[in-house]
Amino acid sequence: GAVVSQHPSRVICKSGTSVKIECRSLDFQATTMFWYRQFPKQSLMLMATSNEGSKATYEQGVEKDKFLINHASLTLSTLTVTSAHPEDSSFYICSAISSGSLNEQYFGPGTRLTVT
Amino acid sequence: GENVEQHPSTLSVQEGDSAVIKCTYSDSASNYFPWYKQELGKRPQLIIDIRSNVGEKKDQRIAVTLNKTAKHFSLHITETQPEDSAVYFCAASIGPSGSARQLTFGSGTQLTVLP
C-alpha cells in the first residue's frame, strides 16, 4: 500500500525559532499533498494544499508567511513554521494523493511540535 | 465552504453491541465520504469510504450508509470489540470532480467499548 512518512516525529523548539517538517511519499508520486493541524481532542483542520511545482493554497486564517510550504518534487513537501510561538504547539499531519488515485488520501504519522 | 457535523462526541457501548455514528454535510456537491479511525498520537486510518452513487457499503463488521437527499451518512460497527475503542472521524470531499479532493472533517467521536 501507499506509504507516507514524516520527519521528525517529535520536535521541541524555543519560541522565535523556525522548524521544518518533511513529508515524503515513499512508494508513489504525490501530485498533491495536504497539511493539517490537530490540537488535543480536536479534529484535523486543513492548513494548506500543496501542489508540486506551484504555490501552495492556504486556508482562510492560515498565515502563509508563517507556515511556509514547499513542494519541490513529486515525493516531498516541507512545512516550515517560522518564528514559532507556544500557541503553534500542535500535531501536524500531512497527507498525499497519488497521481493514480483522486480520492484516497494517505496520511503521514504526524509530527508533534512543542514550542517552549 | 463545506461544513460537516458529527454526533455523538462520545459513545460508550458494551462489548458485542453495535455502535452508530452520524454525520451531516452541507455541500450537495460533495461526493466522497470516508471514515477514519485515529488512535491517540497516531495517524488517521481509513476504515471505509462511500461515494455518492452508492447508498450503502459494508466491510465485515463495518458499514456505511449515505442519504444524499438528507445529506447525511452514518457509520455502523457491529459486534464491537475493545480494540475498536478510538476516535472516529467522518469527512466529506469538497473538490470538484476529476481533481484533487480536499477533505472537511467532522469533529470526531470518542468510542469506548467496555469489556
Side-chain angles (χ1 to χ4, degrees), chain A residues 3-5 32 34 36 38 41-44 46 49 51 57 59 91 93 97 102-105 107-110 112, chain B residues 31-32 36 38 41-46 49 51 89-90 93-94 97-108:
Chain A
V3 179
V4 175
S5 70
T32 301
F34 300 96
Y36 296 88
Q38 186 177 32
K41 297 189 177 182
Q42 293 189 23
S43 187
L44 284 79
L46 180 66
T49 302
N51 292 298
T57 303
E59 295 301 298
F91 193 50
I93 306 176
I97 292 181
L102 293 178
N103 287 124
E104 184 170 354
Q105 292 188 21
F107 284 87
R112 174 73 59 193
Chain B
N31 53 14
Y32 175 61
Y36 294 90
Q38 188 181 30
K42 304 248 178 108
R43 78 185 84 195
Q45 289 183 299
L46 178 69
D49 57 12
R51 287 167 173 75
F89 292 100
C90 62
S93 152
I94 61 173
S97 175
S99 69
R101 307 196 175 218
Q102 294 179 318
L103 291 172
T104 299
F105 283 84
S107 54

Side-chain angles (χ1 to χ4, degrees), chain A residues 77-97:
Chain A
S77 177
T78 60
L79 168 68
T80 301
V81 183
T82 63
S83 187
H85 291 284
E87 56 265 31
D88 298 324
S89 299
S90 188
F91 193 50
Y92 292 85
I93 306 176
C94 69
S95 70
I97 292 181

Side-chain angles (χ1 to χ4, degrees), chain B residues 63-90:
Chain B
V64 57
T65 59
L66 171 65
N67 183 326
K68 285 178 58 181
T69 302
K71 289 190 283 188
H72 66 70
F73 55 114
S74 301
L75 177 71
H76 304 253
I77 306 174
T78 59
E79 300 172 29
T80 54
Q81 302 166 1
E83 51 265 37
D84 293 330
S85 297
V87 179
Y88 290 80
F89 292 100
C90 62

